[in-house]
């Protein structure tokens, strides 16, 4: 088949003109996709997320972290969360994954490079051949051109899912840091209460020894007071260890090392709020805002697009066009004759043995799987939202009960016991026993307050996502039911 030079040039350049119709500006930006991550982080946590990509940004971020962690400054929960979002290296790795996804989507907008072949044939003497032919061919994948739009749409869906994955990682880190701060502060508050009990136990043990020496207390009574002091010493040592370990977990989440780890946190949890925030529409909020549900929707969308692509390429899986030219030079009667001709070939696969039914069935099942996973995710999210709000309200009532009823009653008992002791109606050990019971009630009150703040910290993950792994969920359930004891 002969082509005129103009038509031949148009055929050779066709892929490049088609490629110019696809834009990749949204993927080539330096912070491609991070705007979505930052917006969702700000909405859910009120904090700023930063994607560090050069030394200047790293130095500015470190300066801000040092300002937040200034020496002598007590780190509150909001500061801890902000430091974690700025300083956690795992989070920066997640943002790098987002950049890679943008590069992948960018790559999908590019056409498959054509293959070029050149050849030279000739017959005759080395000086002047009697016959010479120069051949050139350009091979273009027509199927790639035809499916370019669908492939770009699939890659774009994957890019949007990567944005949500980075946002989910950010929200999860914020939630984990908040819970770690609460657990660490509660652990140190427990240490303080046990230290008070240890002081009373120490006094009782010394008194028991003196009374024993005076013959006023038998060996059993002395041993009872001494074993209580010994047991309490072991308990406070364990509580201090748990407090240090809880603080180390917080340190890891904030990405601190070196001298930065010498920071202070409060020794007491905040007081209970006067009233609860109402979340009557928490299920609807969760269905609208949960990042992991949006990711499941994108999975379904991507699977649907892949199914359509498989359906479109069911029979034709490879289609190429070969455009080329051939220039012939021939020596005849002492004169050189030249002739250039163009040619074009179409190459495709004939679906004789593979009609694409297996690939179609695989795509159908993949779509059904994504649809069922989306439905399951929606059911679970509604249940998680209800559970989070129930835990929030119930733990508030429990913590208030300890604060308003149990602790005041124990204080009243201790006060009356002191009066009877001063009136010489009760002995010293009865007074110390009442003091120990008061300390135990205070420990239960601290744990109840901790469980409430953990439940409060679980509201945002229930609405926006980032609640953590299954293990973390089990911990939240244990806290919500008041189990697990204290630090």
């Amino acid at each position: 088949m002969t082509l005129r030079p103009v038509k031949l040039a148009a055929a050779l350049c066709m892929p490049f003109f088609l490629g110019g119709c696809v834009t990749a500006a949204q993927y080539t930006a330096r912070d491609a996709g991070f705007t979505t991550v930052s917006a969702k982080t700000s909405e859910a946590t009120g904090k700023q997320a930063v994607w560090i990509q050069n030394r200047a940004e790293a130095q500015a971020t470190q300066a801000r972290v040092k300002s937040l962690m200034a020496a002598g400054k007590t780190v509150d929960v909001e500061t801890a969360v902000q430091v974690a979002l700025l300083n956690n290296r795992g989070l920066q790795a997640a943002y790098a994954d987002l950049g890679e996804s943008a590069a992948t989507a960018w790559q999908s907008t590019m056409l498959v490079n054509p293959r070029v072949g050149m050849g030279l044939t000739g017959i005759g003497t080395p000086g002047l051949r009697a016959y010479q032919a120069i051949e050139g061919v350009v091979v273009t994948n027509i199927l790639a051109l035809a499916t370019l739009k669908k492939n770009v749409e699939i890659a774009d869906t994957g890019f949007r899912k990567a944005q949500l994955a980075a946002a989910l990682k950010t929200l999860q880190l914020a939630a984990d840091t908040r819970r770690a701060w609460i657990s660490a502060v509660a652990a140190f508050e427990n240490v303080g209460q046990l230290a008070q009990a240890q002081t009373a136990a120490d006094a009782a043990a010394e008194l028991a020894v003196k009374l024993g020496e005076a013959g006023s207390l038998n060996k059993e009574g002395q041993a009872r007071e001494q074993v209580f002091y010994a047991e309490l010493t072991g308990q406070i040592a364990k509580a201090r260890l748990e407090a240090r370990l809880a603080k180390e977990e917080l340190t890891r989440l904030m990405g601190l090392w070196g001298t930065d780890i010498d920071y202070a946190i409060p020794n007491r949890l905040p007081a209970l709020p006067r009233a609860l925030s109402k979340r009557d529409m928490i299920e609807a909020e969760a269905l609208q805002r949960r990042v992991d549900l949006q990711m499941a929707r994108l999975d379904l969308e991507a699977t649907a697009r892949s199914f359509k692509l498989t359906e479109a390429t069911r029979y034709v899986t490879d289609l190429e066009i070969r455009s080329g030219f051939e220039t012939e030079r021939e020596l005849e009667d002492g004169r050189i004759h030249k002739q250039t001709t163009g040619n074009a070939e179409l190459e495709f696969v004939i679906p004789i043995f593979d009609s694409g039914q297996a690939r179609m069935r695989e795509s159908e099942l993949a779509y059904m799987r994504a649809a069922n996973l989306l439905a399951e995710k929606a059911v679970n999210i509604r249940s998680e939202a209800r559970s989070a709000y129930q835990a929030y309200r119930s733990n508030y009532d429990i913590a208030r009960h300890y604060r308003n009823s149990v602790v005041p009653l124990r204080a009243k008992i201790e006060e009356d016991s002191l009066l009877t002791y001063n009136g010489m109606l009760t002995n010293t050990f009865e007074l110390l026993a009442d003091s120990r019971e008061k300390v135990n009630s205070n420990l239960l009150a601290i744990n109840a307050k901790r469980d409430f703040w953990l439940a409060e910290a679980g509201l945002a993950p229930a609405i926006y996502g980032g609640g953590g792994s299954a293990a973390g969920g089990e911990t939240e359930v244990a806290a919500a039911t008041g189990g697990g004891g204290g630090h």
Side-chain angles (χ1 to χ4, degrees):
M1 181 167 116
T2 302
L3 299 177
R4 294 186 180 274
V6 175
K7 293 183 178 180
L8 178 60
L12 295 177
C13 297
M14 178 178 61
F16 305 102
F17 285 114
L18 290 176
C21 299
V22 181
T23 176
Q26 59 178 327
Y27 310 127
T28 58
R30 182 173 172 273
D31 58 345
F34 188 71
T35 303
T36 299
V37 177
S38 180
K40 290 188 177 294
T41 301
S42 178
E43 178 187 2
T45 68
K47 302 294 180 294
Q48 180 185 11
V50 176
W51 185 4
I52 303 172
Q53 300 189 57
N54 56 47
R55 179 173 295 182
E57 292 177 351
Q59 292 175 347
T61 302
Q62 284 302 310
R64 185 177 177 191
V65 169
K66 287 187 178 297
S67 175
L68 292 171
M69 302 292 296
K73 182 179 179 181
T74 301
V75 177
D76 59 18
V77 63
E78 303 300 333
T79 301
V81 172
Q82 183 61 82
V83 169
L85 296 185
L86 295 174
N87 205 44
N88 187 281
R89 299 302 189 274
L91 190 59
Q92 293 300 317
Y95 296 159
D97 292 339
L98 173 61
E100 290 183 5
S101 178
T104 301
W106 181 13
Q107 183 66 46
S108 71
T109 65
M110 302 179 185
L111 296 170
V112 177
N113 291 330
R115 301 195 306 273
V116 179
M118 299 293 293
L120 173 64
T121 61
I123 303 174
T125 61
L128 180 61
R129 298 181 184 275
Y131 172 83
Q132 289 181 333
I134 300 175
E135 297 179 354
V137 62
V138 178
V139 182
T140 303
N141 192 326
I142 299 299
L143 187 63
L145 295 175
T147 59
L148 177 63
K149 182 179 179 181
K150 292 184 180 297
N151 284 323
V152 171
E153 291 174 348
I154 293 173
D156 181 71
T157 304
F159 171 62
R160 286 185 284 143
K161 183 182 176 182
Q163 289 178 299
L164 295 177
L168 188 63
K169 180 73 173 178
T170 307
L171 298 181
Q172 183 175 347
L173 176 63
D176 290 345
T177 304
R178 190 175 294 274
R179 286 191 290 262
W181 185 92
I182 294 169
S183 298
V185 173
F188 280 104
E189 190 170 357
N190 274 334
V191 171
Q193 286 296 324
L194 288 172
Q196 293 181 16
Q198 189 182 37
T199 302
D202 186 20
E206 290 181 4
L207 180 60
V209 171
K210 292 180 180 180
L211 291 177
E213 293 173 350
S216 301
L217 186 66
N218 58 25
K219 296 293 184 182
E220 180 184 356
Q222 296 179 51
R224 184 178 291 110
E225 297 302 324
Q226 290 172 358
V227 74
F228 175 74
Y229 176 76
E231 289 175 347
L232 193 59
T233 300
Q235 290 178 6
I236 195 171
K238 183 178 179 181
R240 284 175 176 150
L241 172 62
E242 291 179 349
R244 288 194 295 268
L245 294 179
K247 187 179 178 183
E248 283 297 336
E249 181 182 0
L250 178 62
T251 300
R252 289 194 297 271
L253 291 170
M254 291 195 294
L256 302 176
W257 72 336
T259 58
D260 293 337
I261 65 175
D262 297 327
Y263 62 94
I265 59 175
N267 291 324
R268 296 176 60 87
L269 286 170
L272 295 175
R274 293 185 178 180
L276 293 177
S277 60
K278 293 185 177 181
R279 294 283 188 176
D280 297 333
M281 303 295 293
I282 190 171
E283 292 180 56
E285 287 185 76
L287 290 176
Q288 180 183 2
R289 299 178 179 178
R290 276 286 287 260
V291 176
D292 49 349
L293 184 62
Q294 297 173 25
M295 292 174 65
R297 291 194 186 104
L298 287 178
D299 280 334
L300 183 62
E301 180 182 336
T303 306
R305 294 185 185 280
S306 297
F307 177 76
K308 292 180 180 179
L309 180 60
T310 302
E311 186 177 21
T313 60
R314 175 179 177 181
Y315 297 106
V316 181
T317 59
D318 193 8
L319 182 63
E320 292 184 342
I321 184 171
R322 299 173 180 269
S323 304
F325 67 92
E326 180 178 359
T327 300
E328 298 179 352
R329 292 179 23 159
E330 185 175 1
L331 181 62
E332 184 178 354
D333 297 332
R335 301 180 62 183
I336 297 177
H337 301 275
K338 294 177 56 177
Q339 183 179 6
T340 299
T341 58
N343 60 78
E345 298 178 5
L346 186 66
E347 181 177 324
F348 57 91
V349 175
I350 301 177
I352 298 177
F353 305 107
D354 182 6
S355 61
Q357 292 182 352
R359 290 185 290 112
M360 287 292 296
R361 180 58 177 166
E362 183 180 3
S363 297
E364 290 173 0
L365 293 175
Y367 181 82
M368 292 172 60
R369 175 180 178 274
N372 284 309
L373 287 177
L374 176 60
E376 181 193 30
K377 176 67 71 174
V379 171
N380 292 344
I381 282 175
R382 294 189 65 179
S383 176
E384 291 169 10
R386 292 193 301 269
S387 298
Y389 190 55
Q390 290 169 8
Y392 173 66
R393 296 191 59 177
S394 297
N395 278 294
Y396 181 73
D397 293 337
I398 294 170
R400 284 188 61 192
H401 172 70
Y402 274 99
R403 183 193 66 182
N404 299 338
S405 300
V406 177
V407 172
L409 284 174
R410 282 296 179 188
K412 178 64 175 175
I413 292 173
E414 184 185 37
E415 181 182 351
D416 292 343
S417 178
L418 181 60
L419 292 175
T420 57
Y421 173 76
N422 291 334
M424 306 185 76
L425 300 177
T426 57
N427 58 39
T428 304
F429 296 109
E430 291 178 348
L431 176 63
L432 293 175
D434 290 334
S435 297
R436 289 197 295 265
E437 292 299 329
K438 178 187 176 183
V439 171
N440 290 333
S441 296
N442 287 336
L443 290 175
L444 291 175
I446 292 170
N447 292 338
K449 184 167 59 170
R450 176 204 63 193
D451 293 343
F452 163 74
W453 286 116
L454 287 174
E456 195 270 344
L459 286 179
I463 296 173
Y464 296 96
S469 60
E474 293 172 1
T475 302
E476 289 179 13
V477 170
T481 57
H487 293 278

